Amino acid sequence: MKSDSQSKWRIHLFFWILYYILEVYLDFYWSRYQFPDFKWQIRLQNTFILELGYLFVKIPLAYALLYVYEKVDLKLIFKYILCIFIVTASVLGHRFLTHYIIYPYIYGVTETLDGKHTSGFINGYVVFNSFMDLIFMIGLIFGVEITRQKNVLKEQISQLKAEKLDQELTMLKAQINPHFLFNTLNNIYGMALKKADETPDVILQLSKVMRYNIYEAAEKTISLTKDIENIKDFIQIQKIRYHQLNVSFIEDIDNPFQKISPLILIQFVENAFKHGVSESLGEAFITVDIRLKNGILTYFIENSKQKQPHKHSTKIGLKNIRRQLELLYPNHSLSVEDKNNRYSVTLTIDFYDTTSH
């Protein structure tokens, strides 16, 4: 709110400076016809003074109307009546300043209509001129303020959308870590029951993976090479458990510093193990092919699977990652192929696509 208020007054100050300069220019241009005998230096000096005097009428009028428009809680008809009263009082103030101060004390002459006939304090022509001068200013200040408010509203909506996006992504990531940990601890539990010699190595490898998930994956983006390294660590844990697992890992990255949202890619590998390898009765295999060329990532995962997998196999991870891809890379391409004995996923992300977040 404080920054919004500061921005408002900066914009309004800038408006009044520009408005004052505009009015000085117009009045100075007009004064050479109204006061042809005055030197231009005198006319310019007088114009600066009188326009400054007019601001003492126009600024209170502007903010009185803005206050009624924004703050006063009245029925519309009463707001109109109040605004008419304020404008009428301001027109009278404008006339008083013009007739009794500006002409006699600044120009040193009596106010006239056409240079010959004396003008009174209240006259249809001069009142109309005062009214139009004030209405012109009112239109400008309201245009500036309404435009400013619309821009502030757009910024607030944009900020709320960004905050909502961050909250949803945080929630999704929070779902990923327990899901991964639950699966891996189940694996370690099974190995511990069998008193497998590899159990300590798996626990050490899990510690490395969880360190990545807790600390580095907390960042919005991370280098693609670090994310790939985490995938390799995860696969290493699974290879210790599945001795007959055949893993093919192909990596071709032309830019190791390319940034990616963490924990995006590993979910497909995790699903390949949970819903593929763990359900395969024969020799299991997983193929991982990840390539980055000219900012375009192509990620291919294929795994063996049982012809009739368990009907109640959970696929929370895949649903989760689909939602993350929709939020972070809306123009991504994701295709899934489910055959009798194998399951494959192909993901394409164009990091140079300006529509991606």
Side-chain angles (χ1 to χ4, degrees):
M1 291 297 293
K2 185 177 179 180
S3 61
D4 178 46
S5 177
Q6 290 175 346
S7 173
K8 173 181 178 178
W9 291 115
R10 281 197 298 267
I11 291 172
H12 280 230
L13 178 61
F14 185 64
F15 163 79
W16 287 114
I17 291 173
L18 289 182
Y19 176 77
Y20 178 72
I21 293 172
L22 173 64
E23 287 293 290
V24 166
Y25 169 77
L26 294 175
D27 217 352
F28 176 69
Y29 184 83
W30 166 82
S31 67
R32 67 179 181 175
Y33 299 104
Q34 186 75 0
F35 306 103
D37 298 332
F38 283 44
K39 292 182 179 180
W40 72 268
Q41 294 93 336
I42 300 298
R43 288 190 290 109
L44 182 61
Q45 174 184 301
N46 291 343
T47 302
F48 275 116
I49 296 172
L50 71 90
E51 288 301 333
L52 188 62
Y54 278 139
L55 289 182
F56 285 95
V57 173
K58 293 178 178 179
I59 291 178
L61 167 63
Y63 291 106
L65 292 178
L66 284 173
Y67 183 82
V68 172
Y69 171 73
E70 296 175 349
K71 304 293 185 180
V72 175
D73 186 17
L74 290 174
K75 290 184 178 180
L76 193 58
I77 183 64
F78 294 116
K79 276 194 174 186
Y80 283 144
I81 294 173
L82 183 57
C83 289
I84 291 172
F85 174 79
I86 294 172
V87 172
T88 301
S90 299
V91 169
L92 294 175
H94 190 278
R95 284 298 306 134
F96 179 87
L97 186 65
T98 303
H99 188 75
Y100 291 109
I101 297 177
I102 290 176
Y103 272 88
Y105 291 102
I106 295 180
Y107 288 115
V109 298
T110 302
E111 183 184 17
T112 61
L113 295 175
D114 53 8
K116 297 179 180 180
H117 299 89
T118 301
S119 169
F121 172 67
I122 299 296
N123 176 281
Y125 176 76
V126 293
V127 168
F128 179 76
N129 283 345
S130 294
F131 175 76
M132 292 306 297
D133 186 26
L134 296 179
I135 288 297
F136 175 67
M137 177 277 300
I138 292 170
L140 290 178
I141 190 64
F142 266 76
V144 168
E145 179 58 17
I146 291 173
T147 302
R148 187 197 67 82
Q149 289 179 6
K150 286 184 177 180
N151 289 335
V152 169
L153 182 60
K154 285 182 180 179
E155 290 178 3
Q156 290 174 343
I157 292 174
S158 178
Q159 184 177 357
L160 287 173
K161 286 182 178 179
E163 289 175 357
K164 182 181 178 181
L165 175 63
D166 287 341
Q167 289 172 359
E168 186 169 356
L169 289 173
T170 300
M171 180 187 68
L172 290 171
K173 285 184 178 181
Q175 293 173 0
I176 288 175
N177 291 340
H179 183 56
F180 163 74
L181 182 61
F182 176 78
N183 291 337
T184 308
L185 287 176
N186 269 347
N187 294 342
I188 294 175
Y189 175 73
M191 295 175 66
L193 288 178
K194 297 178 182 179
K195 302 186 184 300
D197 295 335
E198 300 91 341
T199 304
D201 294 332
V202 176
I203 294 175
L204 184 63
Q205 203 75 30
L206 174 62
S207 174
K208 185 178 178 182
V209 171
M210 290 309 299
R211 188 180 301 113
Y212 174 88
N213 280 276
I214 294 172
Y215 296 108
E216 300 190 56
E219 302 294 330
K220 287 188 176 181
T221 59
I222 196 168
S223 68
L224 183 59
T225 51
K226 283 189 176 182
D227 211 48
I228 293 175
E229 182 181 350
N230 183 57
I231 293 174
K232 291 178 179 177
D233 290 335
F234 176 83
I235 291 176
Q236 191 62 34
I237 292 175
Q238 302 298 338
K239 286 176 69 176
I240 294 173
R241 181 185 179 194
Y242 300 104
H243 296 283
Q244 296 183 354
L245 175 64
N246 182 13
V247 177
S248 173
F249 196 99
I250 302 170
E251 178 185 354
D252 184 9
I253 307 297
D254 66 356
N255 179 15
F257 302 104
Q258 173 63 55
K259 296 291 185 179
I260 189 172
S261 179
L263 303 178
I264 287 282
L265 304 180
I266 194 173
Q267 291 304 298
F268 296 106
V269 179
E270 184 187 3
N271 278 326
F273 277 99
K274 180 170 176 54
H275 307 296
V277 173
S278 63
E279 296 175 349
S280 297
L281 300 179
E283 184 176 345
F285 73 88
I286 288 181
T287 300
V288 180
D289 189 333
I290 181 167
R291 302 173 188 270
L292 178 70
K293 187 174 182 181
N294 298 325
I296 298 178
L297 175 72
T298 304
Y299 186 48
F300 174 77
I301 305 286
E302 186 177 52
N303 60 271
S304 58
K305 74 181 188 74
Q306 189 178 344
K307 290 186 177 180
Q308 293 181 345
H310 300 306
K311 293 182 179 179
H312 300 292
S313 294
T314 175
K315 296 191 178 181
I316 294 175
L318 185 57
K319 293 179 181 178
N320 188 315
I321 212 63
R322 282 184 184 275
R323 180 55 182 156
Q324 287 197 63
L325 286 169
E326 290 173 3
L327 294 172
L328 293 166
Y329 307 103
N331 284 343
H332 71 278
S333 172
L334 179 63
S335 62
V336 176
E337 189 173 0
D338 191 356
K339 295 183 178 179
N340 288 335
N341 60 349
R342 63 184 60 210
Y343 186 89
S344 64
V345 175
T346 303
L347 170 66
T348 302
I349 298 176
D350 186 353
F351 291 109
Y352 292 160
D353 187 349
T354 56
T355 61
S356 296
H357 293 256

Short mmCIF file of all heavy atoms in Angstrom, two decimals, residues 3 10 27 37 52 103 113 117 142 165 187 210 244 262 273 278 289-290 301 323 332-333 336 352:
data_model
loop_
_atom_site.label_atom_id
_atom_site.label_comp_id
_atom_site.label_asym_id
_atom_site.label_seq_id
_atom_site.Cartn_x
_atom_site.Cartn_y
_atom_site.Cartn_z
N SER A 3 3.93 1.65 -1.22
CA SER A 3 4.54 1.88 -2.53
C SER A 3 3.50 2.37 -3.53
O SER A 3 3.79 3.20 -4.39
CB SER A 3 5.19 0.58 -3.04
OG SER A 3 4.22 -0.44 -3.17
N ARG A 10 3.62 10.45 -7.02
CA ARG A 10 4.62 10.78 -8.05
C ARG A 10 3.94 11.05 -9.39
O ARG A 10 4.29 12.00 -10.09
CB ARG A 10 5.63 9.64 -8.19
CG ARG A 10 6.71 9.62 -7.11
CD ARG A 10 7.88 8.77 -7.53
NE ARG A 10 7.48 7.38 -7.73
CZ ARG A 10 7.55 6.44 -6.80
NH1 ARG A 10 8.00 6.75 -5.58
NH2 ARG A 10 7.19 5.20 -7.05
N ASP A 27 -2.02 30.17 -22.06
CA ASP A 27 -2.38 31.51 -21.59
C ASP A 27 -1.41 32.56 -22.13
O ASP A 27 -1.81 33.69 -22.45
CB ASP A 27 -2.38 31.55 -20.06
CG ASP A 27 -3.50 32.43 -19.54
OD1 ASP A 27 -4.15 33.11 -20.35
OD2 ASP A 27 -3.74 32.42 -18.31
N ASP A 37 0.00 45.37 -25.99
CA ASP A 37 0.95 46.43 -25.65
C ASP A 37 1.97 45.99 -24.60
O ASP A 37 2.95 46.71 -24.35
CB ASP A 37 0.19 47.66 -25.13
CG ASP A 37 -0.74 48.26 -26.19
OD1 ASP A 37 -0.43 48.09 -27.39
OD2 ASP A 37 -1.77 48.85 -25.82
N LEU A 52 -0.26 29.92 -11.51
CA LEU A 52 0.02 29.40 -10.18
C LEU A 52 -1.14 29.70 -9.24
O LEU A 52 -1.54 28.86 -8.41
CB LEU A 52 1.31 30.03 -9.64
CG LEU A 52 1.86 29.45 -8.32
CD1 LEU A 52 2.21 27.98 -8.50
CD2 LEU A 52 3.08 30.24 -7.88
N TYR A 103 -6.83 40.36 -12.92
CA TYR A 103 -6.87 41.53 -13.82
C TYR A 103 -6.41 42.82 -13.13
O TYR A 103 -5.52 43.50 -13.64
CB TYR A 103 -8.27 41.68 -14.41
CG TYR A 103 -8.47 40.90 -15.68
CD1 TYR A 103 -8.91 39.58 -15.64
CD2 TYR A 103 -8.20 41.48 -16.93
CE1 TYR A 103 -9.08 38.84 -16.80
CE2 TYR A 103 -8.38 40.74 -18.10
CZ TYR A 103 -8.81 39.44 -18.04
OH TYR A 103 -8.97 38.72 -19.18
N LEU A 113 -14.60 42.05 -21.78
CA LEU A 113 -15.02 40.92 -22.61
C LEU A 113 -14.29 40.90 -23.94
O LEU A 113 -13.85 39.85 -24.41
CB LEU A 113 -16.53 40.99 -22.84
CG LEU A 113 -17.42 40.84 -21.61
CD1 LEU A 113 -18.88 41.05 -21.99
CD2 LEU A 113 -17.22 39.48 -20.97
N HIS A 117 -15.63 46.37 -23.67
CA HIS A 117 -16.74 46.35 -22.72
C HIS A 117 -16.31 45.67 -21.42
O HIS A 117 -15.75 44.58 -21.43
CB HIS A 117 -17.93 45.61 -23.32
CG HIS A 117 -18.45 46.24 -24.58
ND1 HIS A 117 -17.97 45.93 -25.84
CD2 HIS A 117 -19.40 47.21 -24.76
CE1 HIS A 117 -18.60 46.65 -26.75
NE2 HIS A 117 -19.47 47.45 -26.13
N PHE A 142 -9.02 13.09 -13.88
CA PHE A 142 -9.77 11.83 -13.76
C PHE A 142 -9.24 10.78 -14.74
O PHE A 142 -9.17 9.59 -14.41
CB PHE A 142 -11.26 12.06 -13.97
CG PHE A 142 -12.02 12.30 -12.70
CD1 PHE A 142 -11.94 13.51 -12.04
CD2 PHE A 142 -12.80 11.30 -12.15
CE1 PHE A 142 -12.62 13.75 -10.86
CE2 PHE A 142 -13.50 11.52 -10.96
CZ PHE A 142 -13.40 12.74 -10.31
N LEU A 165 0.43 -19.31 -8.52
CA LEU A 165 1.24 -20.27 -9.25
C LEU A 165 2.34 -20.82 -8.36
O LEU A 165 2.58 -22.04 -8.31
CB LEU A 165 1.84 -19.60 -10.49
CG LEU A 165 2.82 -20.44 -11.32
CD1 LEU A 165 2.11 -21.66 -11.91
CD2 LEU A 165 3.43 -19.61 -12.44
N ASN A 187 11.66 -49.85 -0.60
CA ASN A 187 12.70 -50.66 -1.21
C ASN A 187 13.76 -51.05 -0.17
O ASN A 187 14.19 -52.21 -0.10
CB ASN A 187 13.37 -49.90 -2.36
CG ASN A 187 12.41 -49.65 -3.51
OD1 ASN A 187 11.38 -50.30 -3.62
ND2 ASN A 187 12.75 -48.69 -4.36
N MET A 210 18.16 -37.28 -1.37
CA MET A 210 17.28 -36.46 -0.54
C MET A 210 17.89 -35.09 -0.27
O MET A 210 17.17 -34.10 -0.14
CB MET A 210 17.00 -37.18 0.78
CG MET A 210 16.11 -38.41 0.63
SD MET A 210 14.59 -38.10 -0.31
CE MET A 210 13.80 -36.88 0.71
N GLN A 244 18.93 -57.74 -12.03
CA GLN A 244 18.81 -58.12 -13.43
C GLN A 244 18.26 -56.97 -14.29
O GLN A 244 17.89 -57.18 -15.45
CB GLN A 244 17.88 -59.33 -13.56
CG GLN A 244 18.42 -60.58 -12.88
CD GLN A 244 17.52 -61.78 -13.09
OE1 GLN A 244 16.44 -61.67 -13.65
NE2 GLN A 244 17.98 -62.95 -12.66
N PRO A 262 13.41 -27.93 -11.16
CA PRO A 262 13.85 -29.22 -10.60
C PRO A 262 12.70 -30.19 -10.39
O PRO A 262 11.55 -29.80 -10.24
CB PRO A 262 14.49 -28.80 -9.26
CG PRO A 262 13.87 -27.50 -8.93
CD PRO A 262 13.60 -26.81 -10.23
N PHE A 273 10.04 -47.14 -12.85
CA PHE A 273 10.41 -48.18 -11.88
C PHE A 273 9.18 -48.69 -11.14
O PHE A 273 8.99 -49.91 -11.03
CB PHE A 273 11.43 -47.62 -10.88
CG PHE A 273 12.83 -47.66 -11.39
CD1 PHE A 273 13.42 -46.54 -11.93
CD2 PHE A 273 13.58 -48.84 -11.33
CE1 PHE A 273 14.72 -46.56 -12.39
CE2 PHE A 273 14.88 -48.88 -11.80
CZ PHE A 273 15.46 -47.73 -12.33
N SER A 278 9.05 -52.80 -11.31
CA SER A 278 8.61 -53.52 -10.12
C SER A 278 7.49 -54.50 -10.42
O SER A 278 7.23 -55.41 -9.64
CB SER A 278 8.14 -52.52 -9.05
OG SER A 278 7.02 -51.79 -9.52
N ASP A 289 16.72 -41.56 -22.63
CA ASP A 289 17.41 -40.82 -23.69
C ASP A 289 17.08 -39.34 -23.52
O ASP A 289 15.95 -38.93 -23.75
CB ASP A 289 16.96 -41.34 -25.06
CG ASP A 289 17.81 -40.76 -26.20
OD1 ASP A 289 18.36 -39.65 -26.03
OD2 ASP A 289 17.93 -41.42 -27.24
N ILE A 290 18.07 -38.56 -23.12
CA ILE A 290 17.84 -37.14 -22.88
C ILE A 290 18.81 -36.33 -23.73
O ILE A 290 20.02 -36.52 -23.67
CB ILE A 290 17.98 -36.80 -21.38
CG1 ILE A 290 17.71 -35.32 -21.16
CG2 ILE A 290 19.31 -37.23 -20.81
CD1 ILE A 290 17.52 -34.95 -19.70
N ILE A 301 11.64 -41.83 -22.31
CA ILE A 301 11.72 -42.89 -21.30
C ILE A 301 10.92 -44.08 -21.81
O ILE A 301 9.76 -43.93 -22.22
CB ILE A 301 11.13 -42.45 -19.95
CG1 ILE A 301 11.78 -41.17 -19.45
CG2 ILE A 301 11.27 -43.56 -18.91
CD1 ILE A 301 13.16 -41.34 -18.92
N ARG A 323 0.62 -31.60 -14.27
CA ARG A 323 0.16 -30.29 -13.80
C ARG A 323 1.31 -29.30 -13.75
O ARG A 323 1.17 -28.14 -14.14
CB ARG A 323 -0.49 -30.44 -12.42
CG ARG A 323 -1.02 -29.13 -11.84
CD ARG A 323 -1.99 -28.46 -12.77
NE ARG A 323 -2.47 -27.20 -12.25
CZ ARG A 323 -2.94 -26.22 -13.00
NH1 ARG A 323 -3.01 -26.36 -14.32
NH2 ARG A 323 -3.36 -25.10 -12.46
N HIS A 332 4.57 -27.20 -23.90
CA HIS A 332 5.37 -28.43 -23.99
C HIS A 332 4.61 -29.48 -24.80
O HIS A 332 3.40 -29.34 -25.05
CB HIS A 332 5.66 -28.97 -22.60
CG HIS A 332 4.44 -29.55 -21.93
ND1 HIS A 332 3.52 -28.77 -21.28
CD2 HIS A 332 3.98 -30.83 -21.85
CE1 HIS A 332 2.55 -29.54 -20.81
NE2 HIS A 332 2.80 -30.80 -21.15
N SER A 333 5.32 -30.53 -25.17
CA SER A 333 4.69 -31.65 -25.87
C SER A 333 4.96 -32.92 -25.06
O SER A 333 6.12 -33.23 -24.74
CB SER A 333 5.28 -31.79 -27.29
OG SER A 333 4.82 -32.97 -27.91
N VAL A 336 2.42 -40.24 -24.55
CA VAL A 336 2.55 -41.49 -23.80
C VAL A 336 2.08 -42.63 -24.69
O VAL A 336 1.01 -42.55 -25.30
CB VAL A 336 1.72 -41.44 -22.51
CG1 VAL A 336 1.80 -42.77 -21.78
CG2 VAL A 336 2.19 -40.31 -21.60
N TYR A 352 13.46 -21.84 -25.40
CA TYR A 352 13.50 -20.52 -26.02
C TYR A 352 12.11 -19.99 -26.31
O TYR A 352 11.95 -18.87 -26.78
CB TYR A 352 14.30 -20.55 -27.32
CG TYR A 352 15.79 -20.79 -27.12
CD1 TYR A 352 16.58 -21.24 -28.15
CD2 TYR A 352 16.37 -20.55 -25.88
CE1 TYR A 352 17.93 -21.45 -27.97
CE2 TYR A 352 17.72 -20.77 -25.68
CZ TYR A 352 18.50 -21.22 -26.73
OH TYR A 352 19.84 -21.42 -26.54
#
